[in-house]
Amino acid sequence: MSSDIIEIRWHGRGGMGAITAAKLVAEGAFLSGYGGAIMAPTFGTERRGAPVHTSLKISKEKINDLSPIETPDIVVVLDHMIMSEVDVTAGLKPGGMVVLNTPKSLEKSKINGYRVAVAHVNEIALESGLRKGIVNTGIIGAFAKATGLVDIDVLSDCIEREFAGKRAKENAAAAKTTYERTQVEE
Amino acid sequence: MNVIDSGNVAAATAVKLAKADVIAAYPITPQTPLTEKLSQMIDEGEMDAEYVAVESEHSALAVCIGAASAGVRAFTATSANGLLYMSEQVHWAAGARLPLVMCVVNRGVGAPWTVWNDHQDSISQRDAGWIQIYVKDHQEIMDTTIKAFRLAEEVSIPVMVCYDGYYLSHTYMPYDVPEQEKVDQFLPPYHYKHTLTPEAPENLNSVTMPDTRKDIRGDAAPCYMDIRYNLHDEMIQSIEKFEAIDSAFQEIFERGGNPVVTPYRMDDAEHVVVAMGTLANQFKVVIDRIREESGIKVGVLAINLYRPFPIDYIIKALEGRKGVVVYEKALSYGNQGALFGDVKSALYPCEKRPVIQNHIIGLGGREIKTDTLYETLIASCRKADENSGITDTPNWVGLQTVEPTAAER
């Protein structure tokens, strides 16, 4: 894989909105000057609750290779419980970033060989006025803080547009608050 | 306006911009979100068209045939077994010379069931008399679908716009949505000179005799074979029309070019990969790497227009090269890749014929790793350089539980 493409794999459960989260980051990246942004869900066995993942590649140039990500630079996990079912760091580049939604502290979440960022997105989402279990906007804030790839204000605007009429302000607030509270391993 | 969305939404948006009047479709994975989007846009008043919900793909195309005969622009879309279920009407639409546009969201054909991508569905319909265009990204889905309506209506031949299931249909990427005003400027309203109305009754596509006979005016009327010759002849002429339509598109939208075949790093290439759809774009990455790492001079020729088959373009692009390697996601069972056979046949009259090899890849969504393309292509170039070990049988790339038997032809 070409080194100027940043590869991000998103792990969630069917129905959690991992695809929407990845799509919003793709939009934010595109608006921030990444001319190539490709979001490709993996298909076939999507069932509500089952582990699913989606691939996001971003690059300054147009991306011609649509093949699935094998060696991501960043992994985003919408539900830490998935880690007991799925090897989320499979193929992750050495020193790669893992962004986790977890109630656990950063200290207790460390993974040998990788950098970890944590936020308790479920709690923040509830505080922000979202229904229980809505984490796909909060996690975007954690992603923004952990990677610095896309400005949180750009992402927050994307979220408001996407969720127009569907608790747009609350979703954007969840992302912003999560951004502020995300702890990132040095 | 630039957006990021799925290929299916790009296709639906193109159909809206083309102002299709009638949509008739039956949902099938991975086409479903395309027709859902169209039905949603019609329901919300964003698109002024009639959505006819039907009970099968055969009926979907039959409705489109009726709509086009009544003088309105019609569109349908399908995949895989859905396309095959409408096959009788596919042939009918071509013979009746109705300018329909259909998106085929490419998927492997059952049995056994697969929902994933290959090209067997549309390739199996290559001889039906439709124009077939294979596209490589969302911008091409958008632009080609709009061009397809104009092409179909100028030559009175239906057009399939084929795009890879999942790789494009469900993948999100940026593309530009043209302005409605400009699309209107590019695509005039549909006018059908044989429009069925009670005021001007006509008898269309009735039984023809093997030999010509006089019509009611006393003129010699064309019969079956002559009518079919016209289809063939005008289909070949549509290559030039497609070029002209692309030029007109470029003038208005400032993008396009190479509508028939797309060359990439071909100028000094000794070896050329031939492929269709997203696979051709993936090869750009592969040959950039091969050129950098091994110095082999290799290029890519994407075939966009597959029917009519652009023989002159193929000869111009490939004659005199050392090797040609055709990678494809379909085959004529018991023979070889359909595209391979077509390319080989196009090159037969050439004095300087390249060595030509065939790889079958990615059937039913079998993963196409960029590394695999890299390795198999280098090996194929080396074989062509040495002109040894070349067989006329397809090489199946990526088999997992069976070993290919040695080619013995």
Side-chain angles (χ1 to χ4, degrees), chain B residues 194-204:
Chain B
H194 297 288
T195 295
L196 289 174
T197 69
E199 290 77 41
E202 283 197 59
N203 195 357
L204 302 175

Side-chain angles (χ1 to χ4, degrees), chain A residues 23 26-27 30 35 37-41 43-44 62 64-68 70, chain B residues 2 4 116 137 166-168 170-174 278 281-282 284 368-370:
Chain A
K23 190 196 104 176
E27 270 176 23
F30 182 65
I38 303 272
M39 197 279 288
F43 317 98
K62 185 191 169 191
N64 283 311
D65 186 342
L66 305 181
S67 62
E70 288 179 63
Chain B
N2 276 303
I4 290 189
W116 290 276
D137 60 29
Y166 295 117
Y167 288 108
L168 293 180
H170 286 61
T171 295
Y172 287 67
M173 67 173 79
T278 54
N281 267 2
Q282 192 176 354
K284 288 183 183 175
I368 302 172
K369 292 189 182 200
T370 305

Side-chain angles (χ1 to χ4, degrees), chain B residues 110-149:
Chain B
W113 282 120
T114 173
V115 299
W116 290 276
N117 169 250
D118 66 40
H119 287 168
Q120 194 68 42
D121 51 0
S122 51
I123 289 292
S124 81
Q125 300 301 300
R126 67 172 184 173
D127 299 335
W130 283 56
I131 292 167
Q132 283 196 352
I133 307 169
Y134 290 77
V135 301
K136 305 184 283 299
D137 60 29
H138 290 17
Q139 196 66 61
E140 289 187 15
I141 293 177
M142 169 65 71
D143 296 352
T144 305
T145 303
I146 293 168
K147 289 177 205 170
F149 280 101

Side-chain angles (χ1 to χ4, degrees), chain B residues 16 100 173 186 199 217 287 317 335 340 378 387 407-408:
Chain B
K16 183 188 81 169
L100 302 171
M173 67 173 79
F186 172 75
E199 290 77 41
R217 287 178 293 272
I287 69 149
N335 189 22
F340 175 68
I378 287 185
N387 202 354
E408 287 175 340

